[in-house]
Amino acid sequence: MHDPELGDGDNDGAPPIRDPNARPECFKSTIQECLFVISVTMAVAMTAFLIGSTTVMSSFAGRDLHMTTAEITWMNAAPSLSSGALLLFFGSIADLFGRKSMFIGSMLLFSIFCLGAGFSRSGLTLDILNGVLGIWSASAVPPAQGMLGVIYEKPSPRKNKAFGCFSAGNPLGFVFGSIFSGLATQLFSWRASFWLLAIVYLVVTIVAIFTVPNDKTVKVEWSQETVKRLDLPGTAMTILGIGLFCAALSLGGDAPQGWKTPYVLVFLILGIALIVLFVIWEIKYPYAMIDMKIWKDRDFSLLLAIQSFGFIGFPVLSFWLALYFQTVLGYSALMTGVHMLPMVTMGLLANLVAALILHKVSNKLLMGIGALAYVISFVLAAVQRNGDSYWAFSFPALCLCVVGADLQFNVANMYVLSSMPPSKQSIAGSLFQTLTRLCSAVGYGIATAIFNGVQSSPARSGYYANNAVEPYAATFWFSAGAAALGVLFVPWLKIGTQGHQGDKGRLTEKEDEREKVDDIVDVSGVGEKSGEKDDSGPKGDAAGTLKDKDIEASV
């Protein structure tokens, strides 16, 4: 009998081809599949959930623990920094040693340390524990994204829907974190926000235990070769380089001599030097975490560049707008969460639309819409002044910001994972998540420096004269400038639709192109094999050039 989930077999008795849009065989029911997708979505939402929670209650924790502006900022930046610096390393661990146990263990540890963060007695302790929570987030995301990429290996509308839900984790995690934290802080205290997070992720851990399919990843044993493949020197350079760079950006405004303070300059120079050294190391090292050849893929590089420029401003807008609501307008934690609520509705709608149209509408157009939405959002937030209407400025800014994030996240995420083989799905997801989280950390650092600088020297004349919104607006203008750079790259994209019927994925397309090139080269060499004279002139050179260029373009 014909199985509707299988394609028709060939007439020669070959086994039928499974429909890529059917429910994966590893799931016993649709309910299990849905719960699994929710579990991995909550994994990618860890950092965003945490940052959303701390954003809403940051001023209350700051007053209670007598924290400086830099300490309050680091409470939000630390998770992005620690997770961004370690994602690639944990991606390698997941690909080499298995994903399921790492995924479940990470979420359990996240829950435990959230419980501990709620008992913090100083700002420094809270910042450190938030950084540790970022580590567990970093160890949960690669196996989550790796499992999703392997289970939904072939492009299809079903894969688009699963990844649409997954992509909602980052933006919606922030918003739900804001609302839950606002409610908990209003009813109890800011400490209850962390305890609520602990409960939520304990429940998610239990759900994951029963719904995550068995891990069929080929695991390796510890050996000298395995240690080399972990690329420990590269990991150390990313952690130190990015950490020092972001620390310099955040501390520059509060340092005794400002940016001229010796340790700020040392941090900045060493950070940049280590980041540059990391890139050189990855090019030369045979066991590099990132195969730098992948950047030769034009659309791959452009998508990540556009996504990165936009995402620099997304957390900046969310954090400083929420802080503006609390410190300038005097909103409670709950009211702050309510005013951030438009991000939830628009985020759900944007992800739903993206999941339904990725295989029908040009993804270049979607990236362009997302980039413009970012710019308009940040400009609207920047031009408002204290006393202006929330509905005229903040409301549309919050809505458009999520549209930009969700559209770009869906397109770029699908492309990145379809560009890497199943054995590299975790590292592929880690690369994408690393860039977004490091952009968040860098954005926080630069915005903090701008905020402190403007706050210390307010304008006495002009548009923002004697207006409390001025330092907040300055961070929004910075976000708008970064997003505008992303818009400039959109016209150079060549990406069409993804997940449409017949879409084999970027990796398969590249392999097909290689085979075609090989066939052309074989044909060009037939004369030589048959004993005919081969003038190593234009014809031979053309064949060689064709092969070199095609292979380089397809890498």
Side-chain angles (χ1 to χ4, degrees), residues 28-338:
K28 297 179 180 179
S29 66
T30 304
I31 294 177
Q32 182 190 359
E33 180 184 11
C34 292
L35 289 175
F36 165 76
V37 173
I38 292 173
S39 297
V40 295
T41 300
M42 289 299 291
V44 77
M46 273 185 180
T47 300
F49 223 115
L50 176 62
I51 293 175
S53 297
T54 54
T55 295
V56 169
M57 55 79 172
S58 57
S59 63
F60 301 95
R63 284 197 297 267
D64 186 26
L65 301 178
H66 308 290
M67 300 169 69
T68 65
T69 301
E71 287 177 328
I72 293 175
T73 304
W74 268 102
M75 183 168 57
N76 290 268
S80 296
L81 177 58
S82 58
S83 62
L86 288 167
L87 271 166
L88 289 173
F89 173 71
F90 284 123
S92 299
I93 293 287
D95 283 332
L96 291 173
F97 303 109
R99 301 179 175 120
K100 181 176 180 178
S101 57
M102 183 176 175
F103 172 68
I104 294 173
S106 298
M107 289 198 294
L108 179 60
L109 288 169
F110 184 86
S111 175
I112 293 171
F113 275 80
C114 277
L115 182 65
F119 293 99
S120 299
R121 296 300 176 190
S122 69
L124 180 61
T125 301
L126 189 57
D127 287 348
I128 292 173
L129 286 176
N130 272 276
V132 174
L133 288 171
I135 295 175
W136 304 133
S137 169
S139 63
V141 172
Q145 197 155 3
M147 289 187 295
L148 203 63
V150 170
I151 291 172
Y152 299 95
E153 183 179 355
K154 300 296 182 182
S156 68
R158 193 184 196 98
K159 179 175 181 177
N160 289 350
K161 293 172 184 175
F163 274 84
C165 180
F166 179 80
S167 299
N170 259 330
L172 293 186
F174 176 88
V175 182
F176 280 116
S178 302
I179 295 172
F180 291 159
S181 176
L183 185 61
T185 303
Q186 184 77 17
L187 296 177
F188 303 101
S189 72
W190 64 267
R191 300 179 187 277
S193 300
F194 288 101
W195 297 334
L196 179 60
L197 264 180
I199 295 172
V200 168
Y201 275 93
L202 178 61
V203 173
V204 174
T205 301
I206 295 172
V207 171
I209 291 173
F210 294 101
T211 59
V212 174
N214 291 329
D215 190 3
K216 297 182 179 179
T217 305
V218 179
K219 303 174 181 64
V220 301
E221 296 181 357
W222 279 104
S223 65
Q224 186 176 359
E225 186 77 7
T226 304
V227 173
K228 291 180 180 178
R229 290 173 65 180
L230 289 177
D231 192 9
L232 296 178
T235 302
M237 281 184 271
T238 56
I239 296 172
L240 292 174
I242 296 166
L244 290 172
F245 179 71
C246 293
L249 294 177
S250 297
L251 297 174
D254 288 338
Q257 302 174 36
W259 290 97
K260 296 180 180 179
T261 306
Y263 67 81
V264 173
L265 293 174
V266 170
F267 284 179
L268 187 63
I269 295 171
L270 281 179
I272 294 174
L274 285 170
I275 292 172
V276 172
L277 186 61
F278 168 74
V279 174
I280 297 173
W281 172 266
E282 293 296 292
I283 294 174
K284 302 293 184 180
Y285 189 57
Y287 300 93
M289 288 185 289
I290 305 173
D291 183 359
M292 289 299 177
K293 292 180 181 178
I294 197 171
W295 297 103
K296 293 182 180 180
D297 183 325
R298 176 197 187 97
D299 285 331
F300 181 91
S301 299
L302 288 173
L303 283 172
L304 291 187
I306 296 168
Q307 168 76 16
S308 297
F309 281 120
F311 212 81
I312 283 177
F314 177 80
V316 170
L317 174 76
S318 306
F319 173 72
W320 263 273
L321 195 56
L323 198 62
Y324 168 72
F325 290 154
Q326 296 171 60
T327 57
V328 177
L329 302 183
Y331 291 167
S332 66
L334 180 59
M335 285 302 296
T336 300
V338 170

Side-chain angles (χ1 to χ4, degrees), residues 314 342 357 511 527:
F314 177 80
I357 67 174
E511 291 173 350

Side-chain angles (χ1 to χ4, degrees), residues 160-161 163-165 167-168 171-172 314 342-358 366 369-370 373 398-411:
N160 289 350
K161 293 172 184 175
F163 274 84
C165 180
S167 299
L172 293 186
F314 177 80
M343 298 179 78
V344 176
T345 306
M346 188 56 66
L348 290 171
L349 182 61
N351 274 283
L352 176 62
V353 171
L356 295 176
I357 67 174
L358 274 178
L366 296 181
I369 293 174
L398 291 169
C399 291
L400 289 172
C401 184
V402 178
V403 169
D406 287 343
L407 290 182
Q408 292 193 357
F409 200 92
N410 273 278
V411 174

